[in-house]
Amino acid sequence: MRKIALALLALVVSTGLVSINGALASAKDDGNAYADYLSAHLAASQHDLPDAAQLYQSSLAGDPNNTDLLNRAFMFTAAAGDMDKAAALAERIVKLQPTDPPARLTLAVHAFKEGDYREARMQLAQSAKGPFQERVLALMDAWASQGAGDTKQALTDINVVVTSGGTETLAAYHRALILDLAGRNDEAEAAYKEGMASAGDSPRLVEAYGRFLERQGRTADAQALYTRHASNTALIAIQAQGLARLQSGRKPDRLVSTPAAGAGEVLFGIAAGLTDQNSADLSTLYLRMSLYLSPDLDYAKVVLADRFDRLSKYDDAITAYRTVGSDSPYYAEAQIDAALDEAKLDHNDKAISDLKSYTASHPTDIEGWTALGDIYRSADQYPEAADAYDHAVKLLNPPNNNDWPLYYARGVSEERSKNWGAAEADLLTALKLSPDQASVLNYLGYSWVDQDRRMPEAIAMLEKARSLSPFDGYIVDSVGWAYYRQGRYQDAAKTLLEAVLLVPGDSTINEHLGDAYWKVGRKLDARFQWSHALAFGPDDKQKVELEAKLKDGLGRS
């Protein structure tokens, strides 16, 4: 699937959707169009898709014969989610470039939405086809055939996916969905099993097959399917919802209940394969198409929000997360991630309020309590963070090796809350669960050094942390400071210099190096480092200490 998606990306590039030279040269002839173009280009570079779409449309209005502007206006309009307007622009493109793949695909998608499957097939047939594009078009064509009531042709189209080099798993999945929709249950089950044999942990495949078994009244088989994948965290929500349905006796709908939703599933699969940063806008384009055809595809909403997260477009991500329905298996994930994004926007009070409401209604959700603790901790509300983490820890039954971050986070919060006994116990538990975590080794070891306790053990911990993360300047600083506290000043000076080189702008590390230089007799160098530390924005307490050192040094030592 990823090869298909990357091939489509190359095809979009080749059609001029990301070429700027022609548009720029022509736009310069008109001042307003040029200004709109430059603003649009800036918006596009910042992934502000609605702004880019509107500005490219304005620029195109001032230069309606500019093919490059037409292509850009089309692409960003579609990526912004205005598929009806994108289809109108696509009509203009195919008059100039009759086989343009993105435009023909958009027109086919629009036809699917209208229920005009004959038109969808016609649009797909007129698209340029390379070996990879052929697979995608074959899948879309199969769903158009099924929409027209021709299951035989649909299955023939599916076979093209394999003969053109696609995977058996991809073909089996869509074959199963089509046969399921056609009511050919025995053949559908065979196809589901074929897909499960090669990709049994795929969330969409597990959910589709589970729903199929539930609708057939095969309760034991459905329960076995869900519990067999209980250890896969990506399937927890699907498993929980499926088991709840089985217990209540409520029968689910098909995962894909219309041909248009099937076409949306194809487009979602393409988008899910585009995970690199350079493909973010193209992935967004296909997700918009998918949601246009299948507005209830909550998994696509989550993936769309994730794409915005990766681009640091947190407002857009929150908007996408908030569209996930409360009855969706992805609702909890969406609510938690939306709150975390609010915190990234420094809306901590809103994030905390949202998560407090969520945990009040979902008191057994470990992820909810953990996220609440994370946000409290990021806001320096350490007692509240420790309390939230405490709720999460109490839900562990029992803790396993993967739970060390929760104990570490609670330990940090307890230490910052001046509750060292509890903090030390949690940090030791985190190390017991996962002994090679550099961050935990560093935090506990440095704390012991700072307290002048268990020094040999602390230094061993810190040196182990450094061996695990040799380029972490803060860990190197901890090792150097431990040497200093032990009186190993030459070793301290050498190690702390390495820390400064790794993190050159940290006031504490520069202060530590200055202290070590003073102890080995390099007093001019010491004052130089303290001056640097003072310039790097220390807090008020550290500022007073640095000013005293610059004035008097370290006394007679």
Side-chain angles (χ1 to χ4, degrees):
M1 178 59 75
R2 179 167 174 76
K3 287 182 178 179
I4 297 173
L6 291 177
L8 284 175
L9 174 61
L11 193 60
V12 170
V13 172
S14 73
T15 61
L17 293 183
V18 295
S19 170
I20 68 170
N21 293 333
L24 182 60
S26 180
K28 282 184 177 179
D29 295 336
D30 181 275
N32 291 332
Y34 183 51
D36 284 339
Y37 175 81
L38 292 179
S39 297
H41 187 58
L42 176 62
S45 69
Q46 296 175 341
H47 306 283
D48 292 330
L49 302 179
D51 286 347
Q54 188 275 321
L55 289 163
Y56 277 127
Q57 290 170 25
S58 295
S59 188
L60 177 64
D63 189 5
N65 296 318
N66 189 313
T67 304
D68 289 327
L69 282 177
L70 175 60
N71 281 321
R72 282 179 160 267
F74 156 69
M75 179 178 180
F76 284 98
T77 298
D82 190 346
M83 297 306 302
D84 291 331
K85 188 171 289 185
L89 293 168
E91 290 280 12
R92 293 172 60 181
I93 290 174
V94 297
K95 290 178 181 178
L96 302 170
Q97 302 162 350
T99 64
D100 183 85
R104 288 295 180 188
L105 180 61
T106 299
L107 292 172
V109 166
H110 193 262
F112 266 105
K113 184 71 172 180
E114 297 296 316
D116 190 343
Y117 304 113
R118 182 173 178 275
E119 174 69 14
R121 295 197 72 191
M122 185 190 75
Q123 294 294 344
L124 295 167
Q126 294 183 74
S127 174
K129 296 179 180 67
F132 298 119
Q133 293 78 32
E134 186 175 12
R135 300 170 205 168
V136 179
L137 296 173
L139 287 171
M140 296 290 287
D141 207 29
W143 281 106
S145 297
Q146 181 59 31
D150 192 346
T151 302
K152 180 179 179 181
Q153 181 60 49
L155 297 176
T156 300
D157 292 332
I158 289 288
N159 291 335
V160 174
V161 176
V162 179
T163 59
S164 63
T167 67
E168 290 282 357
T169 301
L170 178 63
Y173 176 55
H174 282 277
R175 185 184 303 114
L177 294 176
I178 286 173
L179 289 165
D180 190 350
L181 186 59
R184 293 164 59 169
N185 294 335
D186 291 343
E187 295 169 272
E189 177 160 26
Y192 277 129
K193 287 182 175 179
E194 182 183 346
M196 293 290 296
S198 57
D201 59 350
S202 164
R204 297 300 285 170
L205 182 54
V206 170
E207 186 173 7
Y209 187 37
R211 285 169 175 257
F212 172 83
L213 293 172
E214 289 180 61
R215 290 197 323 278
Q216 303 306 310
R218 294 166 56 183
T219 302
D221 290 338
Q223 185 166 5
L225 173 69
Y226 293 134
T227 55
R228 185 164 71 244
H229 296 278
S231 61
N232 187 336
T233 57
L235 296 173
I236 289 175
I238 292 170
Q239 176 207 36
Q241 196 167 75
L243 292 175
R245 283 195 304 266
L246 290 172
Q247 188 172 12
S248 68
R250 179 168 48 90
K251 296 291 179 67
D253 295 328
R254 293 177 174 86
L255 184 68
V256 171
S257 56
T258 67
E265 192 75 18
V266 174
L267 295 164
F268 170 69
I270 297 171
L274 290 167
T275 57
D276 60 286
Q277 196 83 350
N278 293 331
S279 305
D281 287 340
L282 188 62
S283 175
T284 300
L285 170 66
Y286 287 120
L287 288 167
R288 295 292 198 192
M289 288 182 174
S290 177
L291 288 167
Y292 178 68
L293 292 176
S294 189
D296 295 328
L297 211 175
D298 287 328
Y299 199 6
K301 297 172 187 177
V302 171
V303 174
L304 178 62
D306 177 71
R307 296 294 183 266
F308 288 134
D309 273 335
R310 295 186 187 194
L311 297 169
S312 299
K313 307 299 293 184
Y314 301 122
D315 282 322
D316 292 331
I318 291 167
T319 298
Y321 283 130
R322 296 300 188 204
T323 63
V324 176
S326 60
D327 59 344
S328 168
Y330 305 104
Y331 175 74
E333 175 186 351
Q335 294 301 301
I336 292 168
D337 286 341
L340 291 172
D341 280 343
E342 287 171 341
K344 291 173 186 174
L345 293 168
D346 293 326
H347 300 159
N348 287 325
D349 290 345
K350 179 70 166 63
I352 289 169
S353 176
D354 287 346
L355 281 175
K356 286 177 71 175
S357 296
Y358 176 78
T359 53
S361 59
H362 298 77
T364 61
D365 190 328
I366 292 178
E367 297 300 326
W369 287 111
T370 302
L372 180 58
D374 290 344
I375 294 173
Y376 272 131
R377 186 157 58 99
S378 69
D380 297 336
Q381 298 183 44
Y382 297 110
E384 293 84 355
D387 180 70
Y389 290 134
D390 190 54
H391 281 83
V393 168
K394 288 177 180 177
L395 293 168
L396 298 175
N397 186 29
N400 60 48
N401 294 349
N402 295 324
D403 294 321
W404 70 266
L406 184 52
Y407 284 94
Y408 173 54
R410 189 173 69 168
V412 170
S413 301
E414 289 162 339
E415 186 271 332
R416 298 294 177 88
S417 301
K418 311 300 182 186
N419 187 3
W420 173 247
E424 185 177 48
D426 271 346
L427 294 170
L428 288 169
T429 299
L431 285 177
K432 182 179 179 181
L433 293 172
S434 188
D436 294 329
Q437 296 301 326
S439 56
V440 186
L441 291 163
N442 179 58
Y443 203 97
L444 180 57
Y446 188 88
S447 297
W448 279 342
V449 167
D450 210 40
Q451 299 167 20
D452 200 22
R453 294 177 56 231
R454 304 174 69 163
M455 288 295 287
E457 189 177 354
I459 290 175
M461 276 187 175
L462 292 172
E463 288 176 338
K464 180 180 179 180
R466 185 183 182 185
S467 70
L468 292 167
S469 297
F471 301 110
D472 187 320
Y474 296 101
I475 292 177
V476 176
D477 169 66
S478 296
V479 175
W481 190 239
Y483 292 156
Y484 178 91
R485 294 292 295 268
Q486 205 177 33
R488 296 165 55 182
Y489 299 124
Q490 292 289 352
D491 290 337
K494 178 182 177 182
T495 304
L496 289 165
L497 175 59
E498 294 175 12
V500 165
L501 293 174
L502 288 167
V503 189
D506 186 90
S507 59
T508 298
I509 299 177
N510 278 269
E511 182 182 7
H512 285 170
L513 179 57
D515 292 358
Y517 278 158
W518 185 275
K519 290 293 188 180
V520 298
R522 296 173 58 179
K523 296 186 177 180
L524 185 61
D525 290 332
R527 294 184 187 280
F528 181 77
Q529 292 300 326
W530 291 331
S531 295
H532 269 290
L534 195 59
F536 291 143
D539 60 31
D540 292 341
K541 181 176 180 292
Q542 187 182 12
K543 182 179 179 182
V544 171
E545 293 171 350
L546 285 165
E547 289 171 343
K549 289 177 182 180
L550 284 166
K551 180 181 178 183
D552 300 321
L554 294 179
R556 307 178 76 181
S557 58

